[in-house]
Amino acid sequence: MTDVRVTHIGGPTALIEVGGWRLLTDPTFDPPGRRYAFAPGASSRKTTGPARSASELPPVDVVLLTHDQHADNLDTAGRALLPGAGAVLTTPSGARRLGGNARGLAPWAAWHLDSPGRPPVEVTATPARHGPPLSVPLVGEVTGFALRWPGQRHGVLWVSGDTVLYEGVREVGRRLTVGTVLLHLGAVGFPLTGPVRYTLTAARAVELCRAVRPHTVLPVHYEGWSHFREGRGAVEAALAKAPDGLGERFRWLPPGTATEVTV
């Protein structure tokens, strides 16, 4: 089985449907306008609402929560959705905070989805770092996820999570063959921290994709919040300068519309 349906709901939130399974990434369903505090001196305002409301979603088997401590990845309405999911996979510290149906995965640990009549899906946690070296005590743990199921043509479906380019994400390319990546962008920054970025810039995203060589890149987490410093235009400008036809691998998902992707 090679085809998967991906619906970009907004920010990092996407519904992944494969073989009867429904997996939801980083639920953010609050309306726009509210300002959220992330850390002392660091806050952001939500500027765009979701393309679908939480009530419009079908039942969710698994929430893939890259981290729970920032509202641009888990806001109030998204948090209310978690108990209704079959399971919430997240970081070990996030699982301790959330309790209930949350399960923490350390990097390279796996969780298996099995159900009669549906293909088995292996979910492997992948490394991510939400900022520069030594920033983890300030910003907290983050994880990515690699999804593997029988019949994939090009390789795993990788959710990068909010991360910068560092050795941990380069390791993903060495250990896994990546068919499709749901790539978190945005070049997150705050006035207090100046030029420091907490997610991939366009230039670093190009560098990462040249190293990992995914067949398809699905950009997410680049619009809808005031702390994003680079949007689609910056990414497309970087791609225009990239060699090897890398830009042809990027697919911009129309908000709220299910898109068929061959993995």
Side-chain angles (χ1 to χ4, degrees):
M1 182 182 56
T2 60
D3 290 340
V4 59
R5 296 205 316 170
V6 181
T7 305
H8 187 201
I9 294 168
T13 310
L15 179 65
I16 301 168
E17 298 175 274
V18 55
W21 296 103
R22 299 186 184 98
L23 303 96
L24 184 70
T25 66
D26 288 347
T28 54
F29 290 94
D30 284 359
R34 179 177 167 187
R35 180 169 288 276
Y36 301 79
F38 295 150
S43 67
S44 182
R45 184 172 61 87
K46 190 171 187 179
T47 60
T48 304
R52 290 191 188 182
S53 66
S55 63
E56 294 176 307
L57 292 182
V60 172
D61 296 296
V62 176
V63 172
L64 302 176
L65 181 60
T66 66
H67 60 300
D68 69 305
Q69 64 268 28
H70 300 145
D72 62 321
N73 294 80
L74 181 66
D75 60 17
T76 302
R79 193 175 292 268
L81 175 150
L82 298 183
V88 178
L89 303 183
T90 190
T91 64
S93 60
R96 290 192 293 270
R97 286 187 291 268
L98 293 170
N101 59 348
R103 302 292 181 265
L105 296 179
W108 303 114
W111 180 274
H112 294 87
L113 305 178
D114 291 290
S115 178
R118 292 190 279 185
V121 177
E122 180 185 76
V123 182
T124 300
T126 60
R129 194 183 73 206
H130 202 351
L134 306 180
S135 63
V136 174
L138 176 64
V139 301
E141 282 188 307
V142 180
T143 188
F145 300 98
L147 312 181
R148 187 195 309 272
W149 58 84
Q152 290 176 331
R153 180 184 303 175
H154 302 298
V156 301
L157 192 162
W158 177 37
V159 180
S160 72
D162 285 11
T163 188
V164 295
L165 180 60
Y166 80 112
E167 188 60 22
V169 289
R170 292 184 187 276
E171 185 181 4
V172 173
R174 292 194 293 269
R175 294 181 61 155
L176 302 173
T177 299
V178 178
T180 299
V181 56
L182 215 64
L183 191 62
H184 290 218
L185 301 171
V188 164
F190 302 96
L192 181 68
T193 53
V196 175
R197 294 293 176 258
Y198 294 90
T199 60
L200 289 169
T201 64
R204 292 299 193 187
V206 167
E207 188 177 345
L208 175 61
C209 288
R210 291 191 69 196
V212 175
R213 301 305 297 174
H215 182 268
T216 304
V217 182
L218 306 177
V220 297
H221 195 265
Y222 61 87
E223 42 69 42
W225 291 80
S226 63
H227 65 315
F228 292 160
R229 296 293 181 256
E230 292 182 349
R232 177 171 175 172
V235 177
E236 290 181 328
L239 289 173
K241 303 174 185 177
D244 308 325
L246 182 61
E248 298 174 2
R249 299 172 184 260
F250 277 65
R251 293 183 62 181
W252 300 89
L253 299 173
T257 301
T259 300
E260 297 282 345
V261 179
T262 299
V263 177

